Amino acid sequence: MMSDPPHITERWQFWIDRGGTFTDIVARRPDGSLVTQKLLSEDPGHYDDAALTGIRDLLGVPRGRAIPAERIAEVRMGTTLATNALLERKGEPTALFITRGFRDQLKIGYQNRPRLFDRHIVLPEPLYGAVYEVSERVSGSGSTIWRSNRRGRFW
């Protein structure tokens, strides 16, 4: 008896990208085939949440009914909303928190320029309004990974 290929599962898999204008959904059906759907990210006259609406539509679940979690293997979701807001300089002002001694790191960058010998270099405005230097890094569990002293030396 042959087993199913490893990508075949008895449940759906969803990969969702929620952007400022559209929400794109790629889903793998239980038989392994792929299906896509594109919805307006915001359409208050028709739905409250584009991602949930897309999942509901692909599963064939009527609106107002619970999505059966047992039919779903995974949902992975990313968004470009915050990135777009930052790049377009919309929304609240932002700050950069960076390791002590690296305050100018993003300003300096890599020094790669398309016109290397230009004497007047126009740099884009930074995406942040304030810079705060921090003297230590903390892991996700809350323990200190390392500290720096006032001179930028680490221990």
Side-chain angles (χ1 to χ4, degrees):
M1 175 183 232
M2 296 185 67
S3 62
D4 288 336
H7 69 275
I8 303 292
T9 176
E10 294 182 11
R11 299 184 297 164
W12 286 74
Q13 296 171 296
F14 294 94
W15 302 283
I16 302 168
D17 174 25
R18 187 184 189 305
T21 305
F22 293 104
T23 294
D24 297 297
I25 302 171
V26 176
R28 178 174 281 142
R29 293 181 172 125
D31 67 6
S33 62
L34 296 177
V35 62
T36 61
Q37 185 171 17
K38 183 185 266 322
L39 296 165
L40 288 171
S41 291
E42 294 185 18
D43 194 355
H46 294 98
Y47 47 80
D48 293 327
D49 186 290
L52 290 176
T53 298
I55 290 172
R56 197 181 298 283
D57 290 349
L58 291 170
L59 291 175
V61 175
R63 293 191 181 153
R65 301 201 54 200
I67 295 173
E70 65 276 1
R71 292 184 58 196
I72 300 172
E74 71 178 0
V75 176
R76 295 186 184 199
M77 187 164 177
T79 182
T80 56
L81 285 175
T83 304
N84 289 345
L86 189 62
L87 293 174
E88 295 168 4
R89 290 163 169 75
K90 294 180 180 174
E92 296 298 317
T94 59
L96 172 65
F97 288 83
I98 194 163
T99 305
R100 185 177 309 284
F102 291 89
R103 168 183 283 278
D104 296 323
Q105 182 66 46
L106 293 182
K107 187 182 286 187
I108 294 169
Y110 294 106
Q111 291 299 311
N112 52 352
R113 300 183 297 274
R115 298 178 53 94
L116 186 60
F117 298 105
D118 280 1
R119 288 194 274 163
H120 179 64
I121 301 165
V122 179
L123 298 174
E125 288 294 316
L127 298 174
Y128 46 86
V131 178
Y132 299 97
E133 292 182 280
V134 294
S135 60
E136 65 182 27
R137 290 285 174 107
V138 178
S139 71
S141 65
S143 60
T144 300
I145 297 172
W146 54 258
R147 293 186 179 132
S148 69
N149 62 21
R150 289 240 178 253
R151 296 182 187 135
R153 295 192 179 109
F154 311 108
W155 71 84

